[in-house]
Amino acid sequence: MLRRACLRHGLGALVGIAGAPVAWAGAQKEEHLADSVRTAMSAAVRLSSEPPVPVLATWHEQQYYQRWLHAMNARLGARMVNDFTRLEFLRTVWYEAARAALDVSLVLGLIQVESNFRKYAISSVGARGLMQVMPFWVNAIGDGDASKLFHQQTNLRFGCSILQYYLHRENGNLFMALGRYNGSRGRDTYPNAVFAAQKQWAL
């Protein structure tokens, strides 16, 4: 059931019967997690009550972040027309990418391919939200409430944590980790699509 993957460039929105946007993306495959891994990932996806505020220790880091925020705000433009929503998304994706030790341009590229920045996107196999997280993950490492995958920070936290987990499984091989994320491990269509999209989000 989870093996179906539709690997296409330009994963545009479709409209489902209920009017919800549908994303045509692949699906992570459910796999057994060792108890230690499950515990670590459960801790990794737990949200605090504090807002996601980037830690910028130096003046140079602060300046870089402001330049990045300005540039990405302009590039994201029409994909998120509301200024507040767009800036909140960018601050959160920066925070979550840094927290998971991922390149933020990679995360943005993955989001573009998976959902085209649509918060409520649903794939043909049930993956949800910006990073198209499969609902089985909230049962494995969350509280079982799959509706939370439509919450922006929750979705980004899960997606970034899952990608980092796959990177660890693949010994740092990003190509293979992306394939595993999409449910198409070993095939090049999806990783190449993400790498191509990533170039649009590099500063």
Side-chain angles (χ1 to χ4, degrees):
M1 180 176 68
L2 296 177
R3 294 182 64 84
R4 180 179 178 183
C6 186
L7 303 172
R8 296 180 181 174
H9 297 276
L11 303 170
L14 299 177
V15 178
I17 293 173
V22 178
W24 292 96
Q28 299 113 11
K29 293 179 177 138
E30 190 168 7
E31 56 189 69
H32 173 74
L33 298 177
D35 288 343
S36 59
V37 173
R38 187 184 305 274
T39 299
M41 291 191 73
S42 294
V45 299
R46 195 173 300 124
L47 295 180
S48 70
S49 59
E50 299 298 320
V53 178
V55 177
L56 305 165
T58 69
W59 181 86
H60 290 291
E61 289 175 345
Q62 294 167 14
Q63 291 298 303
Y64 181 85
Y65 174 71
Q66 290 303 323
R67 285 193 293 111
W68 177 86
L69 194 62
H70 178 76
M72 297 307 117
N73 186 43
R75 291 181 200 178
L76 197 53
R79 288 186 172 96
M80 290 185 182
V81 295
N82 182 277
D83 290 343
F84 177 82
T85 300
R86 192 165 58 246
L87 286 170
E88 181 184 46
F89 165 75
L90 288 169
R91 292 186 184 107
T92 305
V93 76
W94 172 285
Y95 179 88
E96 293 301 333
R99 186 179 183 275
L102 296 170
D103 188 321
V104 68
S105 66
L106 173 71
V107 175
L108 287 167
L110 186 148
I111 293 170
Q112 179 178 323
V113 170
E114 287 285 358
S115 69
N116 201 25
F117 300 94
R118 288 172 290 124
K119 182 178 179 180
Y120 297 105
I122 305 171
S123 81
S124 59
V125 291
R128 299 185 178 193
L130 290 161
M131 294 188 74
Q132 289 292 279
V133 178
M134 289 295 287
F136 70 74
W137 280 107
V138 295
N139 294 320
I141 60 174
D143 63 5
D145 184 358
S147 69
K148 290 182 179 177
L149 293 175
F150 294 123
H151 176 260
Q152 179 171 268
Q153 189 179 6
T154 300
N155 189 277
L156 294 171
R157 175 69 58 87
F158 268 81
C160 288
S161 298
I162 292 163
L163 181 55
Q164 184 53 248
Y165 164 68
Y166 287 147
L167 265 173
H168 177 75
R169 285 289 308 273
E170 297 292 348
N171 298 310
N173 186 321
L174 183 55
F175 178 91
M176 298 301 287
L178 286 171
R180 189 183 286 271
Y181 189 97
N182 177 254
S184 59
R185 185 179 182 274
R187 297 196 291 273
D188 64 5
T189 307
Y190 179 80
N192 287 345
V194 174
F195 292 144
Q198 180 182 7
K199 294 176 182 177
Q200 300 178 40
W201 304 103
L203 187 58

